Structures are given as structure tokens and as C-alpha cells.
Amino acid sequence: MMPTDHLDILARLDQLDLRIGEVLDLLVTQRTVKDYYMTAEVAALIGKAEFTVREYCRLGRVRGEKPACGRGKHQAWVISHEELTRYRNEGLLPLRRA
């Protein structure tokens, strides 16, 4: 092997090491289980817009909560891990009758 071959191999190994680190970080982020998720987090996890997730909560299609603490005049919706799992397995709840 030529000395340049060794340098090429080392450069490729460095690139591979960086890519493995990126994938590992992504997996850890995706697999982190929280008690409650913000609507933006749920939207990213289920592939919907944040507005859609807020509407699901408002209409009762997903069981969301508005905790007593928070900033500003309007509280943000949060969705429990259990409800996220229920949604993934069963889908949306039926529309409530008015």
C-alpha cells in the first residue's frame, strides 16, 4: 500500500465516524421518552403540522392538556406520552357531538 492509500483510509474513517455520531444523536433524540410533549414535538413525531396537532387537541381528537403554569395569557397544549402512543396505535378519537 502506498502512504496516500493510508491517508485516504483514515479520511474515510473520520467521515464514517462523524456520520455514525450524527445517526446516534438522531436515534437518541427520537427514542427519548418524555412524560409530556409540546405540540411542535408531537407534530414532528407524527409528520403533521403543529397547527393540525393543536386543532386535534382543541376538537378533542387527541387528548391534550393545558397545564396551569406557562407563559403569557394563553397556555400551550401538551400531550402525554400515553396519548401519543394511543394515537399511533389507534388513530384519532371520534369527533365530539355538539
Side-chain angles (χ1 to χ4, degrees), residues 51-67:
F51 172 80
T52 303
V53 175
R54 285 194 311 266
E55 284 296 294
Y56 287 166
C57 293
R58 187 180 69 78
L59 296 171
R61 306 293 309 268
V62 170
R63 291 183 198 106
E65 302 172 27
K66 285 192 171 184

Side-chain angles (χ1 to χ4, degrees), residues 34-78:
K34 297 167 57 174
D35 291 335
Y36 289 92
Y37 298 89
M38 302 298 291
T39 53
E41 295 170 313
V42 173
L45 290 170
I46 66 172
K48 301 283 184 187
E50 184 179 0
F51 172 80
T52 303
V53 175
R54 285 194 311 266
E55 284 296 294
Y56 287 166
C57 293
R58 187 180 69 78
L59 296 171
R61 306 293 309 268
V62 170
R63 291 183 198 106
E65 302 172 27
K66 285 192 171 184
C69 62
R71 294 173 281 170
K73 186 175 183 180
H74 304 285
Q75 296 148 337
W77 289 101
V78 293

Side-chain angles (χ1 to χ4, degrees), residues 2-48:
M2 300 288 291
T4 56
D5 292 337
H6 292 296
L7 293 176
D8 288 341
I9 291 171
L10 286 175
R12 287 183 184 183
L13 286 174
D14 283 341
Q15 290 174 347
L16 187 58
D17 185 43
L18 288 173
R19 184 70 181 129
I20 289 172
E22 291 171 0
V23 171
L24 182 60
D25 289 343
L26 179 63
L27 284 172
V28 168
T29 301
Q30 288 179 346
R31 299 295 179 209
T32 301
V33 175
K34 297 167 57 174
D35 291 335
Y36 289 92
Y37 298 89
M38 302 298 291
T39 53
E41 295 170 313
V42 173
L45 290 170
I46 66 172
K48 301 283 184 187

